[in-house]
Amino acid sequence: MEGYVQNLSDGRLKRYVQFLEISNDPELMEQYRKWHSEEHHWKEIRDGIRQVGILEMEIYMLGNKLVMIVDTPADFQWEEAMNRLATLPRQAEWEAFVSKFQGCAADARSDEKWQPMERMFRLY
């Protein structure tokens, strides 16, 4: 286990951590991983994430369980950003596409699928 190198911001950030369980089908899990790779991602989706003010986003996978970490500026407003994200090019198409892996309605927005996690420990 080597860990992941991070670039730290010089300013204050907000961090959001969310959870999602996808289909436990190994073939679907592999396809889900493929469509999130640098080689196969939809550029419009990554561009949209940046356009709404998200600085960094990572998704970690263990079996069919996913944890997403989102870093934003300290003044970021989650609901406002998700409302804007839902209107950006190809976002609704992307949500419909990934719904087959996530076991949810094709018209469900990202913020309706990913469940926020509570931070219960921090090393101060």
Side-chain angles (χ1 to χ4, degrees), residues 69-123:
I69 301 169
V70 178
D71 290 333
T72 70
D75 62 350
F76 187 82
Q77 298 298 316
W78 184 266
E79 188 174 338
E80 181 181 309
M82 293 302 105
N83 287 339
R84 183 169 172 229
L85 182 65
T87 68
L88 294 178
R90 297 195 77 192
Q91 187 66 35
E93 181 184 354
W94 170 256
E95 297 300 349
F97 175 70
V98 294
S99 70
K100 66 183 174 188
F101 306 106
Q102 299 167 337
C104 59
D107 63 348
R109 295 174 12 159
S110 178
D111 60 331
E112 296 171 329
K113 299 184 258 188
W114 287 89
Q115 300 301 305
M117 298 179 78
E118 174 188 359
R119 179 169 70 186
M120 49 77 58
F121 173 79
R122 178 177 176 219
L123 182 62

Side-chain angles (χ1 to χ4, degrees), residues 2 25 27 37 94 114:
E2 296 182 30
D25 178 316
E27 184 178 321
S37 71
W94 170 256
W114 287 89

Side-chain angles (χ1 to χ4, degrees), residues 14-93:
K14 277 187 187 174
R15 172 167 284 171
Y16 299 87
V17 181
Q18 298 177 307
F19 175 82
L20 177 68
E21 216 170 294
I22 61 171
S23 170
N24 203 19
D25 178 316
E27 184 178 321
L28 289 178
M29 289 188 300
E30 194 55 39
Q31 286 180 35
Y32 194 77
R33 182 188 305 273
K34 170 188 165 183
W35 290 111
H36 285 80
S37 71
E38 282 190 55
E39 183 180 356
H40 294 99
H41 75 273
W42 295 14
K43 183 180 181 323
E44 300 90 344
I45 302 309
R46 287 185 186 234
D47 290 348
I49 290 167
R50 293 255 187 237
Q51 284 176 31
V52 300
I54 293 172
L55 302 172
E56 295 290 334
M57 178 184 284
E58 298 176 312
I59 299 176
Y60 293 86
M61 184 174 197
L62 178 63
N64 70 323
K65 294 167 180 51
L66 307 175
V67 172
M68 179 168 59
I69 301 169
V70 178
D71 290 333
T72 70
D75 62 350
F76 187 82
Q77 298 298 316
W78 184 266
E79 188 174 338
E80 181 181 309
M82 293 302 105
N83 287 339
R84 183 169 172 229
L85 182 65
T87 68
L88 294 178
R90 297 195 77 192
Q91 187 66 35
E93 181 184 354

